[in-house]
Amino acid sequence: MKISVFGFLTLAFLLCVSIPSATSDSASNNFLRCFQSKTNLSISNSPSNVIFTTTTSSYTSILQSSAQNLQFVTKSTPKPQLIIRPLQKSHIQAAVTCSEENNINIRIRSGGHDYEGLSYVSHIPFIIIDLSNLRSIKIDIENQIAWVDSGATLGELYHAIAEKSKIYGFPAGTCPTVGVGGHLSGGGMGTMCRKYGLAADNVVDAQIIDVNGRIFDRKSMGEELFWAIRGGGGASFGIILSWKIKLVPVPSTVTVFLIQKSLEQGATQLVQKWQLVANKLSQDLFIRLIIGVAHSASGNSNKMIAVTFAAVFLGRREQLLTMMEDSFHELGVEQKDCIEMSWIQSVLYVAGFSTQGSYDVLLNRNNRNKSYFKAKSDYVKEPISEEGLEGLWKILVEQESGYMIWTPYGGRMSEIPVFEIPFPHRIGNLYEIQYLVTWQAEEETEEHVNWIRRLYGYMTPFVLKNPRSAYLSYRDLDLGINGNENESYGQASVWGLKYFNSNFKRLAQIKAQVDPSNFFWYEQSIPLFLS
């Protein structure tokens, strides 16, 4: 049996739309004059490559450099009037204050993985502040902390940690080209979440630039704003420059396995058992499901459902085998299935790289797997019945490039209070579902988007309700959008409660305090709560 296009390793990158009616050319020119006066930079003679206009030769390549979803790099996609690539904090301060003075919408980009392209697309005139040049990482192993700039990628962060230590890591996502800024401000889920929680749970300080261009750290911004930016969508409140994170201990040896099962091999029953045990296993063990379409090994055209059980265990092979025999012997994990390696090698393995080569590959900021795609998400509190699974298989098998990723919770995820940070999906959730479909041509968009919406509709009876919940980092504009900067809290609650549940009101109250003019607005930015 061979997975065609959805496999765990080859598609790991995914693990890895009014403000003022029209911003005129004069506003853009006024912004440039303002920005140049504050920074002493110019377009024509500056060697710094900070300012890029639509006539700059490298404009298009820079615009598309980190855009991951090809839906948003088409000829018809709205383009920014300017791209600013700051080289220092003062450039960001100038960009914010000059944008605010000239009533220009801004989009903030770190890695560009945002699923709906909101960091580099807007349907009103806008500029991009691209943070990719600001990616300093300072590792302090002695105190088990690091400062990392928002423009760094997860791969660069993991590489920097591994250069300093083999027994420390960080519990963040699986795709190396994801930007740190968006990842931490959205929550940040990875293979160690059951042991250490989300990436945002392990943030202890940050630096942010507010609407007035002022820089604050945790002490000066206050605990309310610090609470909001860790999982509440930092771009709603300002531009986060850098994050202070806690490093976490990892064993010198970790163990991984990938086991794939077809329906004929009992996959339905194994998925049912996984639903019962995956959230109750040791916090050191993370077993994710990837469910999609495969072809038979004989090479015929018959499509079938395949379920891949993908595990990362913070310990040695023998410990894992004993644990699986005690708790999930039905999967039939054997010694030959289990591969021991270092933690940094497991990062490479999960991302689809060779574990035998250099981990310098993590420094490559270019994603190898750009495509057109659409994603959605859900949470599950009660196991899906066998009948429900069989209906699910019938829809999945229709679309060869569609698949689902089921991420187990429990462990540390259930111990952290729902109000600790804005991310609310904690105790009681068995697992999180990510729905994904990819395609290769713009004209195929409607077909694939309609399919994933139908799949999502089918799942309605089986997932969390009142509200039906979603994960912010798997941004989904189907849930609702802000029509303009005057969107009320009540109107925005249509989508906001799905991401944040009861934390949404607190986020909106903080937003009203720190950005009362709603300058940091976008299609799913936090609204103002006006009492």
Side-chain angles (χ1 to χ4, degrees), residues 177-238:
T177 55
V178 167
V180 165
H183 192 66
L184 295 186
S185 66
M189 190 162 49
T191 62
M192 294 197 291
C193 65
R194 302 190 66 250
K195 177 74 171 182
Y196 295 114
L198 304 176
D201 293 322
N202 293 276
V203 171
V204 294
D205 203 346
Q207 286 190 323
I208 186 172
I209 294 180
D210 76 348
V211 64
N212 297 309
R214 299 172 297 184
I215 298 177
F216 298 104
D217 61 10
R218 177 176 182 173
K219 183 177 180 180
S220 55
M221 80 174 77
E223 289 301 305
E224 284 293 279
L225 181 53
F226 182 64
W227 176 86
I229 62 176
R230 293 173 295 150
S236 290
F237 304 95

Side-chain angles (χ1 to χ4, degrees), residues 237-254:
F237 304 95
I239 299 181
I240 303 167
L241 298 169
S242 58
W243 309 79
K244 184 180 182 181
I245 59 174
K246 293 186 297 184
L247 304 181
V248 301
V250 295
S252 57
T253 301
V254 306

Side-chain angles (χ1 to χ4, degrees), residues 350-369:
V350 172
F353 297 115
S354 169
T355 59
Q356 304 306 311
S358 168
Y359 57 81
D360 286 352
V361 67
L362 296 174
L363 299 177
N364 185 353
R365 297 175 64 92
N366 296 317
N367 193 307
R368 304 168 299 164
N369 296 300

Side-chain angles (χ1 to χ4, degrees), residues 146-389:
W147 273 102
V148 54
D149 285 352
S150 284
T153 63
L154 295 183
E156 290 170 332
L157 174 59
Y158 296 150
H159 185 280
I161 296 171
E163 287 286 279
K164 296 288 187 178
S165 171
K166 306 306 178 187
I167 57 171
Y168 284 98
F170 186 67
T174 58
C175 181
T177 55
V178 167
V180 165
H183 192 66
L184 295 186
S185 66
M189 190 162 49
T191 62
M192 294 197 291
C193 65
R194 302 190 66 250
K195 177 74 171 182
Y196 295 114
L198 304 176
D201 293 322
N202 293 276
V203 171
V204 294
D205 203 346
Q207 286 190 323
I208 186 172
I209 294 180
D210 76 348
V211 64
N212 297 309
R214 299 172 297 184
I215 298 177
F216 298 104
D217 61 10
R218 177 176 182 173
K219 183 177 180 180
S220 55
M221 80 174 77
E223 289 301 305
E224 284 293 279
L225 181 53
F226 182 64
W227 176 86
I229 62 176
R230 293 173 295 150
S236 290
F237 304 95
I239 299 181
I240 303 167
L241 298 169
S242 58
W243 309 79
K244 184 180 182 181
I245 59 174
K246 293 186 297 184
L247 304 181
V248 301
V250 295
S252 57
T253 301
V254 306
T255 306
V256 301
F257 69 71
L258 283 176
I259 295 178
Q260 188 180 119
K261 298 290 185 179
S262 68
L263 300 187
E264 291 74 16
Q265 294 170 320
T268 302
Q269 293 71 34
L270 291 171
V271 169
Q272 285 194 297
K273 182 61 182 287
W274 178 91
Q275 291 183 95
L276 297 174
V277 303
N279 71 311
K280 299 181 180 69
L281 296 170
S282 164
Q283 295 184 357
D284 293 324
L285 178 55
F286 174 92
I287 306 178
R288 172 179 278 169
L289 301 188
I290 303 93
I291 308 170
V293 176
H295 290 283
S296 66
S298 61
N300 63 40
S301 60
N302 292 333
K303 296 186 296 184
M304 63 183 73
I305 294 297
V307 179
T308 300
F309 296 79
V312 177
F313 174 61
L314 300 174
R316 302 196 70 97
R317 178 190 292 120
E318 294 306 318
Q319 296 171 279
L320 175 57
L321 288 169
T322 298
M323 194 175 297
M324 293 301 295
E325 180 62 28
D326 291 344
S327 301
F328 197 2
H329 65 89
E330 295 89 346
L331 187 57
V333 180
E334 301 178 12
Q335 185 164 331
K336 64 179 176 59
D337 300 314
C338 303
I339 309 171
E340 292 186 336
M341 57 185 63
S342 67
W343 177 77
I344 195 63
Q345 286 178 310
S346 76
V347 170
L348 296 172
Y349 182 84
V350 172
F353 297 115
S354 169
T355 59
Q356 304 306 311
S358 168
Y359 57 81
D360 286 352
V361 67
L362 296 174
L363 299 177
N364 185 353
R365 297 175 64 92
N366 296 317
N367 193 307
R368 304 168 299 164
N369 296 300
K370 294 184 180 184
S371 68
Y372 296 84
F373 68 87
K374 174 66 179 175
K376 304 179 79 66
S377 61
D378 263 320
Y379 285 89
V380 177
K381 287 199 170 186
E382 299 290 339
I384 301 173
S385 66
E386 182 171 342
E387 180 182 6
L389 292 175

Side-chain angles (χ1 to χ4, degrees), residues 46 52 92 105 132 164 205 257 271 287 349 415 417 480-481:
S46 172
F52 303 88
I92 304 179
N105 185 233
S132 58
K164 296 288 187 178
D205 203 346
F257 69 71
V271 169
I287 306 178
Y349 182 84
E415 296 170 356
I481 63 171

Side-chain angles (χ1 to χ4, degrees), residues 71 373-376 399 437 439 444-456 478:
Q71 284 195 80
F373 68 87
K374 174 66 179 175
K376 304 179 79 66
Q399 183 52 257
V437 65
W439 60 98
E444 300 173 4
T445 298
E446 183 177 1
E447 170 197 344
H448 289 83
V449 171
N450 286 343
W451 176 84
I452 198 172
R453 288 171 177 165
R454 186 160 58 86
L455 173 63
Y456 183 77
D478 287 354

